[in-house]
Structure formats: C-alpha cells, structure tokens
Amino acid sequence: MSDKVNLTVDGTAVSVAPGTTILQACEEAGAEIPRFCYHERLSVAGNCRMCLVEVEKAPKPVASCAMPVAPDMVVSTKSDSVKAAREGVMEFLLINHPLDCPICDQGGECDLQDQALGFGGDASRFADNKRAVENKHMGPLVSTIMTRCIHCTRCVRFAQEVAGVPEIGAIGRGEDMEITTYLEASLDSELSGNVIDLCPVGALTSRPYAFTARPWELKKTETIDVMDAVGSNIRVDMRGREAMRIMPRNHDDVNEEWLSDKSRFVWDGLNTQRLDRPYVRDGQNLAPASWEEAFAHIAEKLNGKGAKAAAIAGDLVCGEGQFALKALMDKLESPHVDCRQDGAKLSGPRGNYIFNTSIAGIEEADALLLIGTNPRLEAPVLNARIRKRYLMGNFPIATLGAPAELTYEADNIGAGPDTLADVLAGKHGFSDVLAKAERPMIILGQGALTRADGDAVLAAAIALAEKSGAISDTWNGFNVLHTAAARVAGLDLGLLPGEGGLDVAGIQQAAQSGEVETVILYGADEIAGASLGDAFVIYIGSHGDRGAHRADVILPAAAYTEKQAIYVNTEGRPQMTEPAATPPGEAREDWKIFRALSEVLGLTLPFDNLADLRSAMFEVAPHFAQLDGLSESAAPQAAAKDMAAAKMSREAFAYSVNDFYFTNPIARASATMADCAKAKQQRDGETEGTGTHG
C-alpha cells in the first residue's frame, strides 16, 4: 500500500496520507471549504452539509468532511453545482435563524454571517413563521440564544469527547429538536467556556462579556496565561485600560486550542482590587504614600539588618522579578529566600521538579499513576490531554489519594504512602501494570509534596519511576505537576534557602520568634498574616489580597497582562508574556521596584534595563533564552539522605486545589469566579439532595 494518495482538486494535483478526508485534502490544495459542524479536534458528525463538493462520477454533491480520499479522485470545489448546493444549504440553515445581526453580541466575528456572505444567496424563499426555541440555563459563564442554533453539535461533541462531561445533548426530533443540558442544569466542567469558541452561530456566547464591546473596539494582545502552571497561550482583549475578555490561542504542544474557565473568565479580576500606589502603615491603618516615602521607610527598618530579612516569592510572579529579588537578597547577604510558598519539598536536579514527559508526550504513554494530584482541578487543559490519550485505548490509570471525579476511568488504588510503598516494593497489582508498560508515566502532585514527609514521597516516586522503567534512555515518565505558574522559574533561578537559610515554614517560625525581623512577600498571598508574628512586612504585588492586608509597606506591581516577562510552565517551557496595558496609577514592573529599592539601600543591582537583567539571568538559566523550547534536563535523582531516611507517614494524600475558582489573588478579586463558585455549591447541593448527577 502506498504511503500517499494522489488526487486532483480544482485542477491542482495533491498527495495526502491514506484516510485523509476530502475536506483536509482540499485545504492542502489551497481551496477554501466552508463548514459549521466539522472541527479538526472533534469527531466527524456530517450534520451541516455546508462542505459539499463535486466529485467526478459521484451522482450528487459529497459532504467532504465525512468522505476519505480515494486514488485518482477528481474534486471540484468551485463548480456551478457546488455553488448552487451550498446556497441551498445556507438557505435551509437560515430558515429559522433570527435576522438580528445588528444587535447580536456575536456580530463582527460570526462564522454564519461570514459564510452567508461568501457562500449563500441574496434572498430567501421562506415566508412562513420562524421557529422559536426557549433559551437554556448553562450556568454563569455561557449565555444561550437557542433560536440561533443550527444543530451542528460541536458543543455536544466537545462536552462528550474533550471535557469528558456528557451533559449536553439533543432532545426532540425534526423541527422540535433542541440542544440542551442534562436536566437543564449548569455545565459541570472546568472547560465549559470552550463551547463559546466552538459555536459558529452565536447560540452560545460569553455571559460576562455579552453586549459590553464590539470586537473592532478592542486592542488584542497575544500573551501567556498564569492561572495554572500549564502556560496556556492566550489573547487578551482590552478597551483602554480595561480588560474585556481573554481567549485561547492555538499551541499544539501546550493547550491545543482549549482554555480553562478560570483562565478565560478571570479578566474582571484584573480590573478590580488593584494596588495603584504605595502605602505605609500608620498605626493600625495603611496610608497612601509616595514611592520615596515608602522606600525611606523600608531603608529605615532594614538599616544594616539585611541578614535578618527573608523573602518569599508567590505563585503568579515572573522570572525577571524573581531574579531581581534573588539578586537583592544576595546583596543583603540573607540566605532566607524561598519560592515554594506552599512548602513543597522540591529541589535537586531540574528533572526532579518538571513535567519531563511534556504535555504533548502524554499521548505516547501507555500507563499512568497519579500520586496526590487531581489534574481536573489543578490543570484542566492538561487533564483534557490525559482524557485524549485515554480515549485512544489501552491506557490503564490509577490514582493515589482521596477518590476524585476525573473525566476518565481511573482505579483509586489507595489513599496514601502505604500503597505507594507497596507499589514500589512490587506487592501491588499496579506494580505489574507499570512494569509491563513500555512507556509508563507517573505524575506527582503538589498535594504529595507539601506534606512534612514530601521529600520522602518525592524520593519514593523517583525510585518507583526508575524501577518501573519510566526513566530510560528513550523515555522519561517521571513528572511533577505544578499548580503555580511561577514555581519552575523560581527553582531554575535558585530561589531556595542558601547555606543556613530558612524555608517558608522556617521563615514563619523565625518571624514569630524575632530572629527574622523583615519579610518581603513578593506576590505571596497564601501566607497567613498571623504566622509572620511582629515582623516588618513588605508586600510587592498587584492586588489588595491577603499579603497586602498584613503588610506594613505596600509597593504596587504589574499584573501578568501588564509586562513583558518570562514564565516557565510545568514542563520547563519558557514563554514570554506581552503587555496588553500599562500598570495602573503609580504601579511599576516588578524588577524595576527591586532595582529602585536596591539603590535606596545603597546596594545597587548591576542592571539598569531589561536587556541587562535578562543577559545576567540567561547566564544563570541559559534555557530561558530558548523561548517556547524544551531543553533536556538531568534525569530525576533522589538525594541519598532522602532515600535512606525515606520514612513516609501513613496520612492520606490531600489535594492542593479544592476550590478551583479561588486559587490566587486575581481569581479572588473576580466577581465572575465568585458566581462560578456559588453555582457549583448550588449544583453540588442539588446533586446530593436529589441523588442525581447534574
């Protein structure tokens, strides 16, 4: 059998792989094929018939999305019969469609509008009354105008195949057919917003964004998401200084073209509770101050006590800011620096703390063990990739931790380290599954690493990876799934306690005892204020959240949409954000704050601009310069002391994310995220009360 099939499209010869559809072959030949139901990441439905083409010797036009190519096929996409067929299909599609384009919130970016202009006729012969359909309730994120629906079933297939929540379907037949959710409940998915992008006619639109702006009013900026550690590629749309919406960009190796609901709808949190000027605590209250006054207050408090200062970096901060913070702490001669604000026991070679398999590499694995992680809440887009591999078949999955509702079948083989020890010792049935697999994969979550015995769990997981063949010359199946966008960059740049230095827990204890007198919270908002005792707290961040409430001095910084900065995702891929707006008020980019503060303290950092800073940063972490690239890392390696003292407690693994919608200060500032959390509570309450799944 030949590796290629030869055919002719509009007189152009083209060679494609066997099994390729006519539609795909036409696109390779440069022909434009209209479509509504077809989507390259969903199964073929063949509903809309808009993609009709003429095939030589075929008795009638052919739906090109559903027919594979054949040798020596001759296809025409521009003949009179194709044009007439498409006009007929469009006329049918518009029979019941409301002609409300001027006031439709999809206007300006509507597939139906564009294709009606390009491939439809100029008149309709339909004069009867139009059908009307009641709108459905799909929760606080998705607004429905179901009279527009053309039954392309993209949303149905997405929910079933990608999101793994088969809660959208069709009821009725013929003219009475309607697309609806199960029992008309809101969608129970962390990926539900993607149906908005998929809907070609505006039947499903963004509820928070609807009727707020037209697409041509918005300034569009391509950047990177930081709501989790996946590093999804996004586009931020701004009107002036105000964020209006966030949409996904395609990146096959990271997020494909999907985006989690938190990443998509958190944009209103970028506009509220912002820190836009410095503050200094005066007695019980924080009073506005100038930058000079704030810096002078810090200099007075630090006054030669740099060694008694400590710094904690948060979850949303950038690589440049962390590098500048580390440089400042080195100048202060303080070893008390930590980027692991949740206390995760991560260190050692780079292979110990990244997702070595890569996100795209999940599709090559043939067995999976999840340890202390619920990827559905911690990284919904990565979880969709696991489901994609699961649907291919022959992919046994086991979980260690509390039973969780994932979007694929997984055996919960145990709750804690006892079972992990049994699997490692070969005393458990899943030990054989891993041993027989050619490319087994282990994903270790933050819930297993933030415990007191996290270093022992890490050592045991690495030992299991080595023993089961998950680490070989051709395959690295040991993976750490991070929840913080800043964490890998912080570990790469060495934001860890130096010699004699204290980690996060140690800093908190030392602050209470008075050993540490000054604590810099750089975007660290998950630290309980009371845990810092009477220490002098400097908060550098973008939102008035927990860290700012405890602070004695607040220095306002830029959010991720307001600076050009490097973030490194969980698989170790450096990506750069681009500024969609300038920071509000007197807020400044993070690294500039540290540079200016160093000068006031008489410890001037050796860079005056971003290029100089990056040049110095690339010397410490050369792979940062390879944007969007994955560099080879040293194999995971447990420290000898951890292996020798690998005594794990019997306590069950907990998950690091329980409330998906409130994991960071931007999400907590978002009214939309609050609505989502409320809707989920109601849905969970109804589910428990009725005994149904909804």
Side-chain angles (χ1 to χ4, degrees):
M1 182 177 176
S2 170
D3 289 343
K4 294 286 185 181
V5 175
N6 299 316
L7 68 157
T8 303
V9 177
D10 293 336
T12 302
V14 61
S15 296
V16 296
T20 301
T21 63
I22 296 175
L23 187 151
Q24 292 168 319
C26 290
E27 295 210 322
E28 283 202 32
E32 183 183 359
I33 305 292
R35 84 291 298 267
F36 292 112
C37 68
Y38 174 79
H39 191 278
E40 53 269 20
R41 300 196 195 276
L42 303 175
S43 59
V44 174
N47 291 341
C48 72
R49 321 310 278 183
M50 195 64 212
C51 64
L52 292 174
V53 297
E54 186 178 354
V55 176
E56 192 177 76
K57 298 180 182 175
K60 59 183 181 181
V62 167
S64 61
C65 70
M67 178 170 283
V69 295
D72 303 322
M73 184 179 268
V74 178
V75 179
S76 174
T77 69
K78 299 175 182 175
S79 67
D80 290 342
S81 66
V82 170
K83 186 172 182 291
R86 288 176 181 168
E87 286 181 2
V89 169
M90 182 61 73
E91 192 174 359
F92 275 121
L93 288 175
L94 294 175
I95 277 179
N96 288 303
H97 194 80
L99 303 179
D100 56 1
C101 293
I103 56 103
C104 172
D105 54 317
Q106 190 87 342
E109 47 190 8
C110 173
D111 288 350
L112 183 64
Q113 196 177 49
D114 293 343
Q115 292 185 41
L117 178 67
F119 302 98
D122 58 356
S124 172
R125 291 167 287 180
F126 188 77
D128 295 341
N129 292 329
K130 289 179 179 285
R131 179 186 85 138
V133 181
E134 281 189 17
N135 295 336
K136 312 301 180 192
H137 171 67
M138 289 196 181
L141 302 179
V142 182
S143 176
T144 62
I145 304 92
M146 299 312 292
T147 301
R148 299 173 185 166
C149 179
I150 61 168
H151 307 154
C152 70
T153 69
R154 278 188 182 182
C155 56
V156 177
R157 285 173 285 147
F158 173 82
Q160 171 80 47
E161 297 163 17
V162 180
V165 286
E167 296 176 354
I168 306 179
I171 57 172
R173 297 182 67 187
E175 193 179 77
D176 296 321
M177 180 177 168
E178 297 180 17
I179 301 292
T180 183
T181 54
Y182 180 71
L183 297 181
E184 294 206 18
S186 60
L187 288 174
D188 185 14
S189 171
E190 296 72 33
L191 295 167
S192 63
N194 291 288
V195 299
I196 296 166
D197 297 335
L198 290 171
C199 183
V201 296
L204 307 176
T205 57
S206 169
R207 187 179 292 276
Y209 168 73
F211 305 113
T212 59
R214 287 296 194 186
W216 53 84
E217 297 177 284
L218 305 176
K219 176 192 165 201
K220 303 170 176 66
T221 305
E222 296 186 347
T223 184
I224 305 299
D225 170 60
V226 301
M227 291 298 109
D228 55 31
V230 172
S232 298
N233 285 225
I234 59 171
R235 192 189 83 198
V236 178
D237 290 359
M238 308 285 292
R239 185 169 61 191
R241 269 226 78 262
E242 189 179 7
M244 301 302 292
R245 64 176 175 180
I246 294 174
M247 300 179 71
R249 288 188 294 130
N250 187 73
H251 192 309
D252 287 346
D253 292 335
V254 181
N255 58 306
E256 298 184 296
E257 59 189 78
W258 314 128
L259 193 60
S260 80
D261 287 347
K262 183 165 54 183
S263 302
R264 181 188 293 268
F265 292 105
V266 80
W267 50 265
D268 63 323
L270 289 164
N271 303 328
T272 53
Q273 293 188 22
R274 291 302 303 272
L275 299 172
D276 60 358
R277 61 184 305 175
Y279 289 84
V280 173
R281 188 171 295 280
D282 181 11
Q284 292 298 310
N285 301 316
L286 285 161
S290 67
W291 279 99
E292 291 78 11
E293 290 168 342
F295 282 163
H297 194 58
I298 293 169
E300 182 186 336
K301 288 287 183 179
L302 271 175
N303 192 18
K305 298 178 181 176
K308 289 197 169 187
I312 302 171
D315 293 346
L316 305 183
V317 297
C318 60
E320 288 85 349
Q322 292 186 86
F323 180 77
L325 171 62
K326 178 74 165 63
L328 178 62
M329 296 306 289
D330 288 346
K331 289 273 190 181
L332 290 168
E333 298 182 353
S334 170
H336 312 311
V337 182
D338 204 344
C339 65
R340 306 163 300 179
Q341 73 167 338
D342 57 5
K345 308 294 190 294
L346 280 170
S347 58
R350 196 165 190 252
N352 278 23
Y353 58 80
I354 65 171
F355 203 93
N356 292 287
T357 303
S358 79
I359 295 170
I362 291 171
E363 296 178 32
E364 298 174 31
D366 53 5
L368 172 61
L369 175 62
L370 298 168
I371 304 173
T373 179
N374 178 352
R376 179 173 176 179
L377 299 184
E378 294 169 23
V381 172
L382 185 142
N383 190 63
R385 190 79 74 143
I386 296 175
R387 174 170 171 78
K388 183 179 180 181
R389 173 62 188 89
Y390 165 77
L391 292 176
M392 296 177 191
N394 298 319
F395 191 50
I397 304 172
T399 66
L400 274 172
E405 192 174 329
L406 300 168
T407 58
Y408 35 81
E409 288 183 20
D411 292 328
N412 185 247
I413 60 174
D418 288 355
T419 311
L420 176 58
D422 287 345
V423 176
L424 177 57
K427 299 176 183 175
H428 194 282
F430 203 73
S431 307
D432 297 334
V433 174
L434 291 174
K436 289 175 184 173
E438 289 183 24
R439 292 179 297 280
M441 192 164 77
I442 294 168
I443 298 180
L444 187 60
Q446 300 305 299
L449 293 165
T450 53
R451 304 150 45 102
D453 62 348
D455 45 7
V457 174
L458 175 64
I462 292 173
L464 175 60
E466 291 170 344
K467 183 177 178 182
S468 63
I471 301 172
S472 67
D473 293 339
T474 57
W475 176 254
N476 190 338
F478 176 78
N479 303 292
V480 172
L481 178 56
H482 288 277
T483 54
R487 188 66 47 80
V488 175
L491 293 167
D492 283 349
L493 293 169
L495 269 80
L496 295 169
E499 190 174 340
L502 301 170
D503 62 8
V504 166
I507 290 169
Q508 290 169 297
Q509 290 172 1
Q512 291 173 25
S513 69
E515 289 177 58
V516 165
E517 297 181 5
T518 303
V519 179
I520 298 174
L521 295 180
Y522 173 34
D525 287 283
E526 314 307 319
I527 305 291
S531 70
L532 298 176
D534 295 326
F536 177 70
V537 176
I538 304 162
Y539 177 75
I540 299 162
S542 61
H543 282 69
D545 203 68
R546 297 168 187 163
H549 292 165
R550 171 59 185 84
D552 295 294
V553 174
I554 294 174
L555 303 177
Y560 70 105
T561 53
E562 296 158 359
K563 57 190 174 185
Q564 188 191 69
I566 293 174
Y567 286 83
V568 184
N569 75 351
T570 192
E571 57 180 349
R573 182 190 300 272
Q575 299 183 107
M576 189 176 288
T577 62
E578 293 293 339
T582 54
E586 296 178 38
R588 296 291 180 266
E589 288 183 42
D590 314 13
W591 74 269
K592 290 181 179 178
I593 296 172
F594 293 117
R595 171 64 178 76
L597 178 58
S598 73
E599 194 167 336
V600 172
L601 296 174
L603 304 168
T604 307
L605 295 177
F607 39 79
D608 296 325
N609 54 52
L610 197 52
D612 290 347
L613 182 151
R614 286 199 178 128
S615 179
M617 184 171 69
F618 294 160
E619 287 182 26
V620 175
H623 55 276
F624 276 37
Q626 300 169 16
L627 289 178
D628 200 34
L630 292 178
S631 39
E632 283 194 31
S633 302
Q637 187 178 343
K641 64 179 179 64
D642 293 338
M643 289 300 295
K647 292 181 181 174
M648 298 181 285
S649 76
R650 301 175 69 91
E651 186 184 348
F653 294 128
Y655 298 128
S656 61
V657 175
N658 293 311
D659 194 340
F660 172 71
Y661 298 106
F662 291 142
T663 54
N664 62 62
I666 301 177
R668 288 191 286 267
S670 166
T672 304
M673 293 297 101
D675 291 342
C676 290
K678 185 178 178 182
K680 180 162 179 57
Q681 284 178 344
Q682 291 175 346
R683 187 170 60 235
D684 291 348
E686 289 169 6
T687 303
E688 290 168 13
T690 60
T692 61
H693 174 70

